Amino acid sequence: MPGGRLLCLSPLVLEGDAIDNHSSATDNAIMKSWRANRLDELPPYLFVEIDRRKREAIAAGRDVIDFGVGDPDQPTHEFIIEAAAKALRTPANHRYPLGIGTAEFRQTVASFFAQRFGVTLDPQTEVIALIGSKEGLGHLPTAVVNPGEFALIPDPGYPVYTSGTIFAGGKCHYMPLFEETGWLPALEEIPSSVARDAKLMFLNYPNNPTAACAPLEFLERAVEFASEHRILIASDAAYSEVFFDADQPPPSILQVPGAKDVAIEFHSLSKTFNMTGWRVGFAVGNAEALAALAKVKNNVDSGVFGVVQEAAVAGLRRITSAEVQGHIGPGGLYCRRRDVLVDGLRSAGWSVAKPQATFYVWARCPRGFDSMAVANRLLAEADVVTIPGVGFGRSGEGYVRFALTVGESRTAQAVERIARLKG
Ligand SMILES: *Cc1c(COP(=O)(O)O)cnc(C)c1O
């Protein structure tokens, strides 16, 4: 779709016409476009160029290896599809699902949380179903941020934190993340005037795009900061189950004592179970904030398809199975791809940390190149698609992101091509 406004007409004033109140209704009508001004406040979409070049390369018949999109390449597990197929035959599932999720869905989430994190949740008030966690994250500012109040947003970060805040009329204050400080925001550097007027803080660990994990001590400091300034923490834990060190499972912020007073956490079935297309996730934690989010949702959507909720239940109940862990767990599919990519890039002279979680590799750009230049060159000269870090925010400059959504042998092939690049 071409960008820009549909109508860019100036009011037509013919010579001799008097500009008076009678003509202004017509003039205003001509000035109206089918595009609200708030859309102009959204940051530019920086992947357009790389997207265009990728499509050109594919159309030209080049053998493109795509590490761009953060979308699992494997199909949803068979046992989940079976559960959904069965649920399709239940007529109750053909009706509006409505509300915060079925009792069974919420109870299953609570059981998962107790087992995985040792956190007790009241399934009546502390769990709500979402049409994917992005949906919940996007609606949250509308539920809790008043116009003019700040949301604190990590930079680099997942774009919906910004767009949801803008749609709610809130202001964005970016918290820069740096490698030297483990990609954790420096809370003490948030100006006190901003902290005073802030209502919400987004955190995302394990992190997209940097693949960093937050130790529990950081989450404790964040809860302390949020309590002091009366800020709601929205912890985006979409990758909490994709981790490679069995001894260090990423924590939930709700493990911090007192966190339920100031935090909610977003979880997603998408990456855990190869279910991005199904659209299902959940939010847990502070009951008042969840009720506010549910109120927004009740006014714009009618719940998660019952079949999808049953599929999610089936997945969560077998999250520790070999079938699921063989993809997301220690030694699993993503872990093996990670080793091929990171070891390969390192022997090619790149400086890359080995991620302990997520299915991303966040690689520092070779000296002298910015992220757009590196992504463009990898595509032009190696037919390899990556995402330039600057696309995730200013502080993402200097890095490119590889998604581990390419098989091992193709990944090895990509690494060979990258190693052959000169200079
Ligand atoms: C993929 C992703 C999500 C959203 O996943 P859903 O499919 O909407 O559940 C949320 N946050 C981050 C950081 C992600 O990468």
Side-chain angles (χ1 to χ4, degrees):
M1 218 191 75
R5 300 200 170 117
L6 285 174
L7 290 175
C8 305
L9 307 177
S10 39
L12 207 60
V13 181
L14 298 174
E15 222 180 326
D17 269 7
I19 302 172
D20 58 27
N21 292 335
H22 298 292
S23 63
S24 70
T26 323
D27 291 348
N28 285 341
I30 290 170
M31 288 296 284
K32 286 176 187 169
S33 89
W34 307 146
R35 181 185 159 90
N37 297 340
R38 69 172 68 86
L39 298 190
D40 298 334
E41 292 172 44
L42 295 171
Y45 183 65
L46 290 176
F47 308 139
V48 195
E49 183 62 14
I50 206 100
D51 241 35
R52 191 181 59 76
R53 289 182 198 211
K54 172 177 125 186
R55 264 193 292 265
E56 268 174 20
I58 292 168
R62 282 159 50 196
D63 179 30
V64 171
I65 304 180
D66 190 354
F67 296 95
V69 276
D71 189 351
D73 57 311
Q74 299 295 306
T76 304
H77 299 285
E78 197 55 37
F79 74 90
I80 294 176
I81 294 172
E82 289 296 333
K86 190 154 155 276
L88 265 177
R89 299 281 171 204
T90 305
N93 283 334
H94 304 164
R95 310 193 64 187
Y96 282 123
L98 296 178
I100 60 175
T102 64
E104 186 187 42
F105 178 89
R106 286 178 283 118
Q107 182 56 59
T108 304
V109 167
S111 304
F112 159 69
F113 239 76
Q115 269 164 28
R116 166 72 172 84
F117 301 110
V119 170
T120 308
L121 297 172
D122 177 354
Q124 308 303 327
T125 58
E126 295 178 334
V127 180
I128 69 170
L130 300 171
I131 308 172
S133 62
K134 182 179 182 183
E135 177 267 306
L137 290 161
H139 280 134
L140 182 67
T142 300
V144 305
V145 176
N146 292 307
E149 289 177 337
F150 280 106
L152 308 173
I153 298 174
D155 164 20
Y158 190 58
V160 75
Y161 313 140
T162 291
S163 39
T165 300
I166 288 171
F167 289 156
K171 293 190 289 192
C172 301
H173 176 84
Y174 291 100
M175 305 181 289
L177 309 182
F178 303 106
E179 184 166 359
E180 302 76 61
T181 40
W183 305 106
L184 303 169
L187 301 174
E188 66 284 357
E189 276 170 29
I190 296 166
S192 55
S193 59
V194 171
R196 193 190 56 221
D197 293 339
K199 182 62 81 60
L200 188 59
M201 170 160 60
F202 289 99
L203 294 176
N204 169 219
Y205 297 98
N207 184 260
N208 176 11
T210 68
C213 293
L216 195 58
E217 302 81 74
F218 170 77
L219 301 176
E220 284 166 359
R221 274 187 280 134
V223 166
E224 196 180 320
F225 179 87
S227 308
E228 190 183 328
H229 297 282
R230 220 24 228 164
I231 294 169
L232 179 73
I233 297 178
S235 162
D236 177 354
Y239 296 94
S240 67
E241 304 316 302
V242 184
F243 63 91
F244 313 124
D245 182 349
D247 296 329
Q248 301 213 19
S252 161
I253 197 164
L254 299 183
Q255 289 170 233
V256 176
K260 265 193 207 169
D261 294 335
V262 292
I264 59 177
E265 189 159 82
F266 290 80
H267 286 258
S268 171
L269 286 277
S270 290
K271 319 293 172 32
T272 310
F273 301 105
N274 308 325
M275 289 179 78
T276 48
W278 298 63
R279 311 313 303 133
V280 60
F282 53 89
V284 294
N286 184 270
E288 185 190 358
L290 292 181
L293 177 56
K295 179 142 195 171
V296 172
K297 287 173 53 52
N298 285 337
N299 280 279
V300 294
D301 69 56
S302 301
V304 177
F305 186 22
V307 168
V308 171
Q309 292 192 55
E310 288 197 38
V313 164
L316 286 171
R317 285 188 179 151
R318 287 177 61 179
I319 191 165
T320 57
S321 67
E323 189 169 359
V324 175
Q325 290 303 313
H327 286 186
I328 60 176
L333 186 87
Y334 295 129
C335 189
R336 297 194 301 270
R337 293 173 178 179
R338 172 199 70 169
D339 291 343
V340 172
L341 182 62
V342 171
D343 297 347
L345 288 175
R346 281 178 178 171
S347 11
W350 289 54
S351 155
V352 201
K354 210 168 234 193
Q356 291 308 314
T358 78
F359 53 47
Y360 301 112
V361 167
W362 183 242
R364 195 201 289 261
C365 293
R367 196 180 286 280
F369 293 95
D370 67 24
S371 62
M372 204 66 95
V374 171
N376 281 333
R377 183 146 186 243
L378 288 175
L379 180 52
E381 296 174 31
D383 292 335
V384 165
V385 178
T386 56
I387 303 285
V390 71
F392 298 98
R394 237 172 40 183
S395 303
E397 185 52 275
Y399 296 82
V400 291
R401 192 193 75 177
F402 292 77
L404 296 168
T405 49
V406 176
E408 274 178 77
S409 60
R410 285 288 273 172
T411 298
Q413 200 181 345
V415 164
E416 276 168 37
R417 292 186 197 166
I418 294 170
R420 277 200 302 269
L421 294 178
K422 300 260 155 35

